């Protein structure tokens, strides 16, 4: 049976976000990988008698989206913090696409940061619609509710409290968002954009 592999990330010292918080956060990521695999195992097992286990199968099939998206969201998040902060080049295709969609990079950034401050737990996402090539900025509740069909994430910002409360306190959400962008390796985001087909 195929299993999902836990990825390893080489995250340097970050502005504002402590090493300890990243370590703890990576353990939560590992939990999503483990549970995405476990659910697949359970589905295989219960499917041997799908009539008897119809209710259980229904529940864990629903649950799979939560675990799988939790795994992938965190991979986008942590990989974007690898190798130190790097700016988005003015010549980059991603920058041009952002300017085309929202008029200016700063206009988009303000909009994305506002999405990140949505009340509740979830993710602020920049994704590319592979049907039209357009970029979209949107909110995902929990890990999975609000991912848009036919889009591929390009940038994912974790807005669950576990990602910032230890360093910033609940009231420091805004500062965490600022620091996330100060730490961001835009070369990774650019590469995500290029790969999103
Ligand atoms: Fe998280």
């Amino acid at each position: 049976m195929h299993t999902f592999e836990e990825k390893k990330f080489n995250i340097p010292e970050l502005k504002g976000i402590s090493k300890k918080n990243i370590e703890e956060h990576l353990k939560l990521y590992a939990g999503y990988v483990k549970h995405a695999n476990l659910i697949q195992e359970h589905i295989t097992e219960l499917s041997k008698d799908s009539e008897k286990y119809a209710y259980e199968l229904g529940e864990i099939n629903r649950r799979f989206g939560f675990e799988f998206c939790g795994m992938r969201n965190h991979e986008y998040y942590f990989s974007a913090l690898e190798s130190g902060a790097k700016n988005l080049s003015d010549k980059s295709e991603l920058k041009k696409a952002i300017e085309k969609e929202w008029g200016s990079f700063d206009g988009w950034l303000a909009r994305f940061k506002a999405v990140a401050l949505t009340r509740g737990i979830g993710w602020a996402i920049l994704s590319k619609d592979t049907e039209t090539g357009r970029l979209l900025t949107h909110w995902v509740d929990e890990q999975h509710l609000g991912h848009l069909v036919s889009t591929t994430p390009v940038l994912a910002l974790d807005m669950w409290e576990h990602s910032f409360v230890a360093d910033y306190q609940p009231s420091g959400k805004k500062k965490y968002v600022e620091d996330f962008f100060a730490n961001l390796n835009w070369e990774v985001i650019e590469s995500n954009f290029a790969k999103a087909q």
Side-chain angles (χ1 to χ4, degrees):
M1 190 177 173
H2 296 293
T3 54
F4 301 109
E5 294 288 327
E6 181 188 332
K7 293 186 179 169
K8 296 294 172 194
F9 303 94
N10 186 10
I11 298 177
E13 198 78 25
L14 299 173
K15 181 186 177 196
I17 307 168
S18 66
K19 200 173 164 94
K20 178 72 180 158
N21 202 84
I22 292 288
E23 276 170 18
E24 291 297 317
H25 202 170
L26 284 166
K27 290 179 196 168
L28 296 178
Y29 158 66
Y32 284 104
V33 179
K34 181 182 165 190
H35 285 273
N37 285 322
L38 265 179
I39 284 190
Q40 287 300 309
E41 273 178 40
H42 285 307
I43 290 172
T44 301
E45 201 51 40
L46 293 172
S47 295
K48 289 174 185 165
D49 194 344
S50 57
E51 278 189 34
K52 182 177 174 187
Y53 296 112
Y55 180 77
E56 288 84 347
L57 274 168
E59 288 306 303
I60 63 168
N61 274 315
R62 269 198 189 93
R63 198 69 190 159
F64 182 63
F66 175 82
E67 303 292 359
F68 181 88
C69 293
M71 172 177 73
R72 286 283 180 264
N73 290 339
H74 283 97
E75 289 168 359
Y76 284 109
Y77 177 80
F78 287 121
S79 64
L81 297 174
E82 285 190 299
S83 306
K86 292 194 176 65
N87 289 333
L88 182 62
S89 154
D90 281 339
K91 291 181 210 144
S92 79
E93 291 304 314
L94 174 58
K95 192 157 196 178
K96 286 181 205 158
I98 288 174
E99 287 167 350
K100 188 176 168 196
E101 193 64 46
W102 289 286
S104 71
F105 180 81
D106 288 345
W108 164 77
L109 190 58
R111 186 162 165 155
F112 187 92
K113 286 176 180 175
V115 170
L117 296 176
T118 300
R119 290 172 61 77
I121 49 167
W123 291 76
I125 307 270
L126 171 68
S127 61
K128 182 179 175 185
D129 177 22
T130 56
E131 285 287 322
T132 60
R134 282 185 62 180
L135 286 167
L136 293 159
T137 295
H138 57 104
W139 175 257
V140 168
D141 264 313
E142 295 188 33
Q143 301 290 353
H144 56 318
L145 304 169
H147 274 298
L148 307 172
V149 174
S150 81
T151 68
T152 302
V154 171
L155 167 64
L157 170 52
D158 194 340
M159 293 309 300
W160 282 55
E161 288 182 343
H162 64 238
S163 59
F164 67 90
V165 160
D167 294 323
Y168 298 87
Q169 310 307 310
S171 59
K173 199 173 185 177
K174 212 170 174 179
K175 181 79 173 81
Y176 160 68
V177 172
E178 293 300 324
D179 285 351
F180 172 78
F181 278 99
N183 288 311
L184 195 57
N185 180 348
W186 276 100
E187 286 179 6
V188 175
I189 309 305
E190 175 83 48
S191 157
N192 291 342
F193 175 71
K195 281 190 285 189
Q197 297 297 331

